[in-house]
């Protein structure tokens, strides 16, 4: 009986998670008349691809998607590249700087980002990074870094110190021990952190709204907003079609690395 209840709970959870995607697909395939009906149906009576054609015809979704992909990949790689050595230092060394760094990580997670929007824009303008993808990447790395650092130091702490000590006994220096012994064991954690940074950058809207002004450099979240008219009324058909297409890259990325992500999350939960 308990096994049946577990499977029932799992099925209910999967339905809960899949509902937005199913509803997006259903809305994207409906005609305007069906969307305006008082009794909306799950399955469109007259499926149409006109909403997809309108979405791609009215906005540069492909270009915006490519820009979002570039920003998300660059942000994820740079975040991990900066956070990994810092996480190793936090996990292996003790001292005042470690406590200060951990305090900065915790404070940064509870600080309301909306309070720094104006100072952020002024700094970006002085640096000449407004309306550039490089500026957006820099902002994403800055605000993703604290949590990525917190994640990675947990993975580093899960690697026993004895492995490094054994490598040192065999004649390996610290850098060689880190590269040959520690780094391979951190691969699952690095993949998990990459996914977190990628999804955070891919879905980010507020900072992109502040940094990017030219439609030619706007990322996908900003492009989706353009399906809302000046009166605030959204064109649900094209918006649903565009939103559905916007979810595909993150789903594909997750499907590719989900096995390493699962092992990485389990490894990071050992200590930290």
């Amino acid at each position: 009986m308990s096994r049946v209840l577990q499977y029932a709970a799992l099925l209910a959870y999967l339905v809960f998670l899949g509902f937005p995607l199913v509803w997006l697909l259903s809305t994207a395939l409906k005609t305007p008349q069906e969307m305006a009906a008082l009794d909306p149906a799950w399955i469109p009576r007259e499926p149409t691809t006109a909403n997809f054609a309108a979405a791609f015809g009215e906005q540069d979704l492909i270009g915006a998607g490519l820009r979002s992909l570039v920003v998300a990949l660059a942000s994820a790689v740079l975040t991990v590249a900066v956070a990994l050595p810092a996480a190793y230092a936090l996990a292996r060394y003790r001292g005042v700087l470690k406590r200060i760094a951990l305090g900065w990580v915790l404070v940064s997670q509870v600080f309301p980002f909306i309070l720094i929007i104006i100072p952020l824009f002024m700094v970006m303008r002085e640096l000449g990074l407004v309306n550039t993808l490089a500026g957006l990447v820099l902002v994403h790395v800055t605000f993703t870094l604290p949590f990525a650092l917190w994640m990675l130091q947990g993975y580093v702490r899960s690697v026993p110190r004895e492995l490094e000590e054994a490598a040192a006994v065999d004649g390996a220096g610290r850098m060689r021990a880190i590269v040959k012994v520690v780094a391979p064991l951190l691969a699952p954690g690095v993949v998990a952190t990459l996914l977190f940074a990628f999804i955070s950058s891919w879905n980010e809207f507020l900072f992109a709204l502040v940094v990017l002004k030219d439609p030619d450099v706007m990322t996908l979240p900003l492009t989706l907003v353009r399906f809302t008219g000046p009166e605030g009324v959204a064109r649900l058909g094209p918006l649903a079609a565009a939103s559905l297409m916007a979810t595909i890259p993150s789903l594909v990325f997750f499907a590719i690395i989900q096995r390493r992500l699962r092992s990485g999350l389990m490894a990071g939960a050992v200590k930290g």
Side-chain angles (χ1 to χ4, degrees):
M1 185 63 180
S2 61
R3 181 62 61 89
V4 175
L5 292 177
Q6 290 177 1
Y7 281 117
L10 179 60
L11 179 61
Y13 185 62
L14 291 177
V15 170
F16 174 76
L17 292 180
F19 174 78
L21 289 177
V22 174
W23 189 254
L24 269 181
L25 178 61
S26 175
T27 305
L29 295 175
K30 288 181 179 179
T31 61
Q33 293 75 19
E34 285 190 81
M35 283 185 285
L38 296 178
D39 54 341
W42 280 90
I43 301 177
R45 300 182 180 90
E46 300 178 1
T48 177
T49 59
N51 292 321
F52 291 92
F56 282 96
E58 295 177 12
Q59 303 294 336
D60 184 19
L61 292 181
I62 296 179
L66 291 175
R67 289 189 290 270
S68 288
L69 185 62
V70 169
V71 170
L73 287 176
S75 300
V77 172
L78 287 176
T79 298
V80 172
V82 174
L84 190 55
Y88 181 85
L90 284 178
R92 289 292 189 256
Y93 300 108
R94 298 181 177 87
V96 178
L97 289 179
K98 175 180 178 178
R99 291 193 291 270
I100 294 175
L102 290 177
W104 166 70
V105 170
L106 295 176
V107 170
S108 65
Q109 297 306 300
V110 300
F111 191 82
F113 292 152
I114 192 66
L115 296 180
I116 61 173
I117 290 297
I118 295 178
L120 173 67
F121 179 79
M122 297 176 63
V123 171
M124 299 293 288
R125 184 180 60 184
E126 292 297 323
L127 295 175
L129 294 176
V130 173
N131 211 32
T132 65
L133 296 182
L136 184 60
V137 169
L138 181 61
V139 173
H140 285 179
V141 170
T142 302
F143 289 95
T144 307
L145 185 60
F147 191 76
L149 179 60
W150 184 265
M151 289 178 63
L152 283 174
Q153 66 94 23
Y155 298 129
V156 174
R157 291 177 62 187
S158 69
V159 178
R161 290 175 178 265
E162 289 76 10
L163 295 177
E164 295 180 64
E165 295 172 355
V169 171
D170 291 338
R174 178 172 292 275
M175 288 303 301
R176 185 177 180 184
I178 293 174
V179 173
K180 297 294 184 180
V181 177
V182 179
L185 298 176
L186 292 178
V190 169
V191 171
T193 309
L194 276 173
L195 179 61
F196 163 76
F198 179 89
I199 297 299
S200 298
S201 179
W202 179 268
N203 294 329
E204 200 281 318
F205 174 78
L206 181 60
F207 293 125
L209 181 64
V210 174
V211 175
L212 305 179
K213 300 300 179 184
D214 191 345
D216 293 334
V217 297
M218 285 185 176
T219 54
L220 201 52
L222 296 182
T223 303
L224 294 179
V225 178
R226 298 170 69 88
F227 289 103
T228 302
E231 300 84 7
V233 179
R235 301 179 57 219
L236 290 180
L239 178 58
S243 299
L244 184 64
M245 300 304 296
T247 62
I248 292 178
S250 57
L251 291 177
V252 171
F253 188 67
F254 177 81
I256 293 174
I257 67 173
Q258 57 88 21
R259 182 170 300 178
R260 283 194 173 274
L261 173 66
R262 183 171 61 250
S263 60
L265 291 176
M266 294 177 63
V270 175
K271 293 183 180 180

